[in-house]
Amino acid sequence: AGPTLLERGVRFLKTEVWMNDLYTYHAENDFCRDWLPYMTRLGYDVLKLRESRIARQFRFTGDAEKLRERCKKQLEDNPTRPGVTESAGLLTDTDAFWVRRGTPEDVPFPDCPNMKQPTRIFTSEEYATCGS
């Protein structure tokens, strides 16, 4: 998906991420271990994480610099990804909001009301409601 984001000039992205290396099945979806390094390599910066109980519980709050510091600590404390059984049954997801480096600061993250529907397929008209 990464090259497609770049080819299509995607400036903003919202992703569901897992927090603090906790997950209920094997996947590479941890904010610090997987998403932050990957998105940084692609040329995106994290704007924020969605305010949530899980983000507060694991102290993933604040601006991008504080999030990077929190991730550095997580990876220093746990250099190896834990196994699934060590964290099974916990709900640990939140949303990360990303912006492509070079996007003008006066361009806000789009509000996409139609995208909040629990569906996987969106029409061209629904995508158009998100702005540029």
Side-chain angles (χ1 to χ4, degrees):
T4 301
L5 294 173
L6 303 178
E7 289 168 10
R8 294 188 179 182
V10 174
R11 294 190 288 180
F12 299 99
L13 191 66
K14 175 179 151 184
T15 60
E16 181 181 88
V17 298
W18 295 341
M19 306 302 299
N20 213 47
D21 269 330
L22 298 174
Y23 50 100
T24 55
Y25 58 91
H26 180 74
E28 295 181 359
N29 198 47
D30 184 72
F31 174 70
C32 293
R33 190 173 300 280
D34 305 307
W35 280 98
L36 188 60
Y38 181 67
M39 295 301 283
T40 300
R41 279 192 309 275
L42 287 177
Y44 287 84
D45 290 321
V46 64
L47 290 174
K48 65 178 182 175
L49 297 179
R50 178 177 50 85
E51 284 292 320
S52 66
R53 178 193 55 80
I54 197 68
R56 287 188 301 276
Q57 177 182 349
F58 294 113
R59 294 179 178 82
F60 281 96
T61 57
D63 63 15
E65 185 58 36
K66 287 185 180 184
L67 292 172
R68 283 190 290 275
E69 289 171 13
R70 175 62 181 85
C71 284
K72 182 179 177 187
K73 180 178 178 355
Q74 173 187 322
L75 298 175
E76 286 172 352
D77 291 349
N78 302 294
T80 305
R81 186 185 305 273
V84 172
T85 57
E86 296 174 43
S87 59
L90 298 174
L91 298 174
T92 63
D93 63 306
T94 193
D95 296 320
F97 296 83
W98 307 91
V99 63
R100 178 89 173 133
R101 273 183 232 118
T103 298
E105 291 184 23
D106 62 339
V107 177
F109 199 97
D111 181 22
C112 303
N114 287 327
M115 300 290 180
K116 295 175 185 168
Q117 305 295 325
T119 182
R120 294 176 182 255
I121 301 171
F122 302 102
T123 66
S124 297
E125 291 79 19
E126 288 172 322
Y127 276 120
T129 67
C130 294
S132 57

